[in-house]
Amino acid sequence: MSESKLAGQFFDAAIGLLQHVRDEESAHVAAAGTAIADTVASGGRLFAFGAGHSSLPAQDVVYRAGGLALMNLLAVPGVVGVDVMPATLGSALERVDGLAGVVLDSSPARAGDLLVIISLSGRNPLPVEMAMNARALGLTVIGVTSVAYAQETKSRHASGTFLKDHCDIVLDSHIAVGDAELTHGKIEAPFAPASTVVTSALMQATMAAAAEQLAERGIEPPLLRSGNVDGGHEWNGRVMDEYGDRIFFRH
């Protein structure tokens, strides 16, 4: 079977983006890791939020093997994934003013906690207001976004601002506007988005930086193990019991 030229081109594009982000965002990743470590060490809680496909990298750091047990998903019903019907409802809800404030007010988030907000474009009211409201509540906010959108598109928020304008730390995914890495002469639309690959890598790199920071301070990072290895369930049970007051994805 012959190889796919386009498949190879996508791998090349993704690898190039990952290398670029590694080099350009290393200081910001380290700062984000320090902020997470500070929050863990001070007794704070960790939350991650993303809407639509930006929810995937947020979910990727919640309740998973090798991840920090304290990371919780800040879920907004209807915008977490494409399971909502119709799927277009999720996109519409991202543009609803005031929704973020209601979500935060009814969540366990409080001053001293940390929230990672993931939004590729960072232009819709939901992520913008989520960041604004979270900071007003006293949370540290890390934004994961493509700064290119703030340079090449208009904000949909009344303030004219983007997610990046309301964060303590910004991680730039360097994804081009439109999120499509490939074109083909016989295909009208560009295709092969790489934002999930790059953003998930940014999130995992940040979690690794946080674990490193905690270890250097003499604090055992509250990491989960795979439930599919011997002793994994017992390990996770101990971690979740120890940090149960900061974990919200279980009863």
Side-chain angles (χ1 to χ4, degrees), residues 106-143:
S106 61
S107 79
R110 65 190 185 194
D113 293 345
L114 181 144
L115 173 61
V116 182
I117 301 175
I118 303 170
S119 173
L120 179 61
S121 73
R123 68 192 296 227
N124 289 311
L126 184 55
V128 172
E129 292 181 2
M130 189 73 75
M132 294 172 69
N133 281 273
R135 291 181 88 185
L137 288 172
L139 278 74
T140 298
V141 176
I142 298 172

Side-chain angles (χ1 to χ4, degrees), residues 30-108:
T34 297
I36 290 172
D38 289 344
T39 304
V40 173
S42 64
R45 293 86 62 80
L46 307 174
F47 298 90
F49 164 78
H53 286 91
S54 289
S55 73
L56 297 176
Q59 295 179 60
D60 193 44
V61 294
V62 176
Y63 184 55
R64 69 160 303 146
L68 290 172
L70 274 60
M71 185 60 75
N72 301 278
L73 185 68
L74 185 65
V76 179
V79 306
V80 174
V82 294
D83 57 330
V84 63
M85 294 292 288
T88 51
L89 175 61
S91 298
L93 288 173
E94 289 186 62
R95 305 185 190 188
V96 174
D97 295 326
L99 180 57
V102 173
V103 169
L104 279 170
D105 288 344
S106 61
S107 79

Side-chain angles (χ1 to χ4, degrees), residues 187-225:
I187 303 174
E188 291 192 21
F191 53 99
S195 62
T196 303
V197 173
V198 175
T199 304
S200 290
L202 271 171
M203 292 295 291
Q204 294 297 347
T206 299
M207 297 303 113
E212 180 182 31
Q213 275 284 325
L214 288 167
E216 289 179 352
R217 301 179 197 187
I219 301 171
E220 178 67 26
L223 297 168
L224 297 173
R225 291 179 180 266

